[in-house]
Amino acid sequence: RTGLKYQVAIRHLRAGELDQALAVMDGLIRAGPDDAEPLRFRAELLRLAGHLEKAARDYERLIALLPESADGYIGLAELWVQRGDYQRAQDCAQQGAARDPRGWTPAYTLALIADRQGDAPGAIAHAQAALDAGIPDRRFRLLVHLWLARGHARLGQWEEARAAVSQVRADSRAFAEWDAILAGEQAGQIRAMLGADVQIARALCEDTLLLQALAESGDDGR
């Protein structure tokens, strides 16, 4: 029954019916308040819906249930990125990395935060750590290579920046996936956080953006 209810929630999500998806997850959580997975999924739905205070409470409950897991900390880190509070985001992401030092997700999140802070050496180090850990999804590999390229460009390391851009081009099939995701009615929060990066990566692939311009792009991804 739990699996069937998840499927119902996902169908609502795909239809842009976030309130209905949340109602399904509310019922699952009432039935199993100590079950971490429905709590994690509801927190993500709440973030998509822009209910960041409620999402933060769910992530904090998730941390209380699974204190040695990185999931709750990484969720909170992404939430603080959405709010533009990069110091809090970094603190949470570092807590996640301490619990999952070999995982790609904490390193990916730290690379995003460093890129937004204009911390080129940090963005390079964390982006490389995420790639070394193995990123299974080309959507996220594309962004990590972009942050790697921007970090090198900001330091005037043009050969390394060009090599990273070549890897962005290697994952260019991810643009179709990003376009489908970002076009959704429920994707407003994702568009705000990552949409500009996707467009910058596309411009690099289409040779309509020079590396010098990439180096000068803003610390908020624009």
Side-chain angles (χ1 to χ4, degrees):
R1 280 197 294 270
T2 298
L4 289 173
K5 288 184 178 180
Y6 261 106
Q7 291 176 25
V8 171
I10 290 169
R11 283 199 294 270
H12 284 307
L13 173 62
R14 288 174 175 167
E17 299 165 350
L18 280 173
D19 288 342
Q20 292 91 327
L22 282 165
V24 173
M25 300 313 298
D26 289 343
L28 281 175
I29 291 168
R30 282 194 297 270
D34 294 330
D35 190 346
E37 180 54 28
L39 198 60
R40 184 197 62 77
F41 187 48
R42 186 175 71 175
E44 293 182 4
L45 292 175
L46 287 167
R47 281 178 51 212
L48 286 174
H51 303 316
L52 300 186
E53 292 288 347
K54 292 180 179 179
R57 287 197 291 271
D58 274 1
Y59 284 127
E60 287 164 358
R61 285 179 60 188
L62 183 60
I63 290 169
L65 284 172
L66 299 174
E68 297 307 313
S69 171
D71 290 351
Y73 290 102
I74 296 304
L76 274 179
E78 293 180 350
L79 185 151
W80 287 116
V81 169
Q82 286 178 236
R83 287 182 157 186
D85 190 333
Y86 299 120
Q87 186 56 59
R88 283 194 182 183
Q90 185 179 50
D91 292 343
C92 291
Q94 287 172 341
Q95 291 272 17
R99 287 157 176 79
D100 186 15
R102 298 183 182 276
W104 70 268
T105 308
Y108 164 92
T109 308
L110 285 165
L112 164 63
I113 296 164
D115 176 81
R116 297 301 191 262
Q117 292 175 315
D119 175 10
I124 292 168
H126 293 306
Q128 192 58 60
L131 293 168
D132 291 344
I135 303 174
D137 193 317
R138 63 190 172 199
R139 294 199 311 272
F140 299 113
R141 284 200 308 271
L142 181 142
L143 294 178
V144 169
H145 284 302
L146 171 67
W147 301 331
L148 191 62
R150 181 150 51 199
H152 284 302
R154 283 170 168 168
L155 295 177
Q157 297 169 346
W158 304 113
E159 183 177 347
E160 292 88 345
R162 281 190 287 272
V165 170
S166 72
Q167 293 303 310
V168 173
R169 293 191 174 107
D171 281 319
S172 61
R173 285 183 297 173
F175 288 124
E177 298 171 25
W178 274 119
D179 289 344
I181 291 168
L182 297 175
E185 291 183 9
Q186 69 272 31
Q189 297 291 329
I190 299 173
R191 280 195 297 271
M193 188 163 68
L194 298 174
D197 279 330
V198 173
Q199 294 309 313
I200 289 171
R202 193 193 308 272
L204 286 170
C205 290
E206 294 173 351
D207 292 323
T208 58
L209 181 72
L210 299 177
L211 280 180
Q212 288 80 357
L214 176 63
E216 297 163 2
S217 59
D219 296 339
D220 59 355
R222 294 190 289 275

